[in-house]
Amino acid sequence: MSRIVYVNGRYVPYAKAAVHVEDRGFQFADAIYEVCQVRAGNLVDEERHMARLARSLGELKIPAPMSAAALAHVMRETIRRNRVKDGLVYLQVTRGEGPREFVFPGEDVPRTIVCIARAVSPAPHDATAAQGIAVKTMPDLRWRRSDIKTVMLLPACLAKEAARGDGAREAWLIDNEGFVTEGASSNAWIVSAEGTVITRQIAPAILAGVTRATLIDLLREEKVPYVERPFRIAEALQAREAFITSATNTVMPVVRIDGSPIGDGKPGPLTLELRSKFDHFAAISGA
Ligand code: PLP
């Protein structure tokens, strides 16, 4: 079965899908996106993803190309046409195409919309989670509005490439004061020796992860103590457990930071429990 991509109102074969060479997403990274997990053909955490997408558009003054409900329909239809059961769906909205000018085009210029769905088998992810991942620290080179989910991802690519060079799956980005902002494509968490879960508070320096928000709901439900505040690598190295969250990884244990083990160097029990609780939530979300 050939893959189908949504581009500007049409569902087209993957090999034929194209946008204009003067699209502002291509020229200026003048575009936002969302990535949602797909479970049993359903969007996980749809409402939160659509709310964040609307916020990203609003912060960049990109007029919404269609209602949130219509965008969600595009995502669902792309999933359906590709018969994706478990995987990911990617939706990108750019400010549209036009001659290369820094200032915005008129609001009548149609936004470019692209939606791609991809099947991802859960088994390799679960195998990785059973081992845990290594992370490498890197300076946070991004702009000061990392709360907006833009396609301006070059600093994340550079950090992840450096991490890969060191055998690490993720980079933890460090701000000018020495605090961890977040992962290159995930939120960063530690569990203190006393069992308190710690993650940085929502601010322009980090993306308000949808998985992060849902996990905080779960922590509250389970009465697990947590605090939203910044932490340094020195504190993370003393932590009992560490993990990352994202729609692609859900809850993924971190067992090494810059080569040093966290706790006993194995995925932490609370992390694995939270992963399984999130998994349960995802299985029923949108079903
Ligand atoms: N932080 C950054 C920089 C990200 O790119 C992502 C996901 O892509 C996240 C955090 C996690 O967000 P979510 O849980 O919504 O996938």
Side-chain angles (χ1 to χ4, degrees):
M1 196 191 76
S2 73
R3 284 181 72 197
I4 302 293
V5 176
Y6 174 92
V7 187
N8 295 331
R10 292 170 56 224
Y11 293 91
V12 293
Y14 187 83
K16 298 233 164 89
V19 295
H20 197 273
V21 288
E22 290 205 286
D23 191 280
R24 293 179 66 89
F26 181 54
Q27 290 170 313
F28 301 118
D30 189 358
I32 59 96
Y33 75 107
E34 273 301 319
V35 178
C36 302
Q37 195 194 358
V38 181
R39 282 291 294 272
N42 295 308
L43 287 169
V44 174
D45 250 332
E46 173 181 328
E47 238 171 75
R48 279 187 161 134
H49 281 288
M50 298 321 288
R52 186 173 64 188
L53 184 113
R55 179 180 183 276
S56 297
L57 288 171
E59 291 298 307
L60 297 183
K61 299 188 169 56
I62 298 177
M66 54 176 84
S67 71
L71 284 172
H73 174 78
V74 167
M75 290 165 102
R76 259 186 247 107
E77 188 59 18
T78 308
I79 292 166
R80 193 187 68 76
R81 291 191 188 225
N82 289 281
R83 294 190 203 153
V84 171
K85 289 239 256 331
D86 294 319
L88 295 168
V89 61
Y90 173 94
L91 182 79
Q92 182 176 331
V93 180
T94 88
R95 203 182 302 273
E97 66 190 55
R100 192 175 177 282
E101 297 254 6
F102 284 86
V103 292
F104 297 170
E107 293 207 354
D108 53 326
V109 169
R111 269 67 65 208
T112 301
I113 310 173
V114 171
C115 187
I116 299 176
R118 178 156 59 98
V120 182
S121 161
H125 267 279
D126 289 341
T128 302
Q131 300 291 314
I133 62 162
V135 303
K136 175 179 169 65
T137 58
M138 292 291 292
D140 192 341
L141 301 178
R142 303 172 304 170
W143 73 331
R144 285 180 233 169
R145 291 305 307 275
S146 298
D147 56 316
I148 309 172
K149 199 164 170 68
T150 77
V151 301
M152 200 163 49
L153 292 169
L154 189 55
C157 295
L158 294 173
K160 275 182 175 286
E161 183 60 25
R164 186 176 64 154
D166 274 10
R169 279 275 287 245
E170 178 58 306
W172 275 11
L173 307 178
I174 311 296
D175 70 14
N176 289 339
E177 277 80 52
F179 291 102
V180 176
T181 47
E182 58 182 333
S185 64
S186 60
N187 289 114
W189 305 69
I190 55 174
V191 182
S192 73
E194 295 75 37
T196 301
V197 178
I198 303 163
T199 195
R200 192 168 174 138
Q201 73 279 13
I202 296 301
I206 71 163
L207 185 74
V210 167
T211 319
R212 176 191 182 283
T214 298
L215 194 71
I216 286 179
D217 286 350
L218 292 173
L219 293 174
R220 271 201 212 110
E221 267 169 40
E222 299 293 321
K223 303 204 173 17
V224 177
Y226 73 91
V227 53
E228 295 176 73
R229 65 159 174 82
F231 60 86
R232 296 174 193 273
I233 286 302
E235 185 179 3
L237 291 175
Q238 298 304 314
R240 193 197 274 181
E241 304 183 22
F243 60 93
I244 58 168
T245 55
S246 69
T248 39
N249 287 290
T250 70
V251 178
M252 181 60 74
V254 169
V255 293
R256 272 195 317 284
I257 300 176
D258 291 340
S260 297
I262 303 302
D264 61 2
K266 299 204 183 89
L270 179 60
T271 303
L272 292 176
E273 195 186 324
L274 293 173
R275 181 176 171 86
S276 111
K277 293 227 181 299
F278 189 90
D279 195 50
H280 176 70
F281 158 82
I284 54 173
S285 168

